[in-house]
Amino acid sequence: MFVIGGIQKTTLLDFPGKIAAIVFTQGCNFRCGYCHNPDLLEIKQICDPDLVSTSFSKEKLLSFLQSRIGKLDGVVITGGEPTLQSGLYDFIKEIKKMNFAVKLDTNGTNPSIIEKLLNDNLLDYIAMDIKSPVDKYSLITNSKVNIDNIKRSITLIINSNINYEFRTTVVKNQLSFDDFNKIGELIQGAKCYYLQKFNSLNVYNPEFINMDTYNDNEFLFICEILKKYVKFVDFR
Ligand code: SF4
């Protein structure tokens, strides 16, 4: 199974240093209130007309990527949650054969597939969401969360030899300054962490439309907290 929710044919922003296409997989096991891709959460075949002009089967997508060899450097696989797709491994293998660099975005709930992909050198960059400190994970994701899996994914990524980032979407009333100390402890020793300003456009839970994020000065303060634990910290 590899259910594609949509594609973006080019991005200069989502894969550091690379011109890439983005593949959005369909389905997620979390229900974060601030999610910007609410149409991608249910497992069903859809196509977002804003993202694609026609429906994309896996075969059609592979043939599109084939046509982009020499024009694109890489492919970003995001969601939804890509690691829910049983066909993810084979799909990545096929695009690696075309010599594309691969970036995987994940919520870290499936460490086994992350481990397999890392062991087989099939990833060039991995971005993992850190939703919150451990004690708030279920609240923020509105889901039952196996924290051992989250911790295992963090360890695998920190110990990998590829470029990576951890990142947290920050809604002001969900995460206190002290929570960032706890997040720092969770990813202690990591090399790269981004705080992401929450944006209230197109959110999964309409209650979030009126919610806010911290201001720039507050973000600078939070960055200082995180720098005790992580080599590079920034906000965007
Ligand atoms: S923000 Fe990410 S992990 Fe959360 S519901 Fe949306 S796609 Fe899933």
Side-chain angles (χ1 to χ4, degrees):
M1 177 187 77
F2 192 75
V3 184
I4 299 156
I7 76 153
Q8 184 176 320
K9 292 177 178 174
T10 315
T11 175
L12 302 174
L13 302 174
D14 296 84
F15 194 156
K18 306 226 181 286
I19 303 169
I22 308 179
V23 177
F24 296 86
T25 61
Q26 182 69 42
C28 187
N29 49 348
F30 282 173
R31 291 292 181 273
C32 311
Y34 55 70
C35 183
H36 289 305
N37 291 323
D39 294 340
L40 294 174
L41 301 192
E42 296 301 325
I43 302 234
K44 57 180 181 174
Q45 182 87 49
I46 64 139
C47 255
D48 183 337
D50 290 337
L51 299 172
V52 289
S53 47
T54 51
S55 167
F56 265 70
S57 65
K58 181 180 158 194
E59 289 64 36
K60 212 164 170 183
L61 174 59
L62 288 169
S63 113
F64 163 73
L65 291 173
Q66 190 84 42
S67 75
R68 304 308 288 163
I69 292 175
K71 299 183 182 91
L72 295 174
D73 306 314
V75 179
V76 176
I77 305 171
T78 191
E81 173 48 39
T83 65
L84 296 180
Q85 308 288 333
S86 56
L88 179 67
Y89 182 91
D90 288 342
F91 176 72
I92 292 180
K93 237 179 151 178
E94 291 192 59
I95 55 180
K96 287 300 279 182
K97 269 193 227 151
M98 298 180 204
N99 280 327
F100 287 117
V102 173
K103 172 175 178 267
L104 177 69
D105 292 349
T106 180
N107 62 22
T109 46
N110 288 302
S112 306
I113 179 72
I114 292 172
E115 185 171 31
K116 193 163 182 246
L117 289 165
L118 286 171
N119 284 346
D120 293 351
N121 295 317
L122 291 174
L123 297 178
D124 300 274
Y125 195 108
I126 188 158
M128 177 178 160
D129 294 346
I130 304 293
K131 297 294 178 188
S132 68
V134 165
D135 55 329
K136 286 191 175 174
Y137 243 87
S138 289
L139 181 76
I140 287 184
T141 61
N142 291 298
S143 311
K144 206 165 164 223
V145 183
N146 180 331
I147 290 294
D148 287 342
N149 281 344
I150 300 294
K151 288 181 174 171
R152 207 174 130 218
S153 294
I154 292 170
T155 304
L156 283 166
I157 292 168
I158 289 178
N159 292 335
S160 73
N161 56 7
I162 62 168
N163 287 324
Y164 65 82
E165 66 185 52
F166 295 108
R167 73 261 181 101
T168 301
T169 299
V170 182
V171 179
K172 189 170 181 173
N173 70 358
Q174 286 192 315
L175 295 172
S176 68
F177 289 159
D178 190 46
D179 285 331
F180 292 101
N181 267 308
K182 294 185 191 164
I183 287 175
E185 284 164 9
L186 187 60
I187 57 167
Q188 183 144 29
K191 60 183 176 192
C192 184
Y193 175 73
Y194 286 99
L195 298 149
Q196 303 188 141
K197 293 179 178 184
F198 159 68
N199 178 331
S200 58
L201 285 177
N202 194 33
V203 282
Y204 169 64
N205 180 345
E207 286 172 21
F208 279 66
I209 289 168
N210 298 318
M211 292 195 190
D212 205 359
T213 192
Y214 287 103
N215 65 37
D216 284 5
N217 281 337
E218 290 166 326
F219 270 108
L220 287 170
F221 179 75
I222 298 167
C223 284
E224 290 308 309
I225 296 174
L226 267 305
K227 281 177 188 168
K228 291 187 278 177
Y229 307 94
V230 180
K231 227 174 263 171
F232 174 86
V233 183
D234 206 353
F235 65 96
R236 59 192 176 196

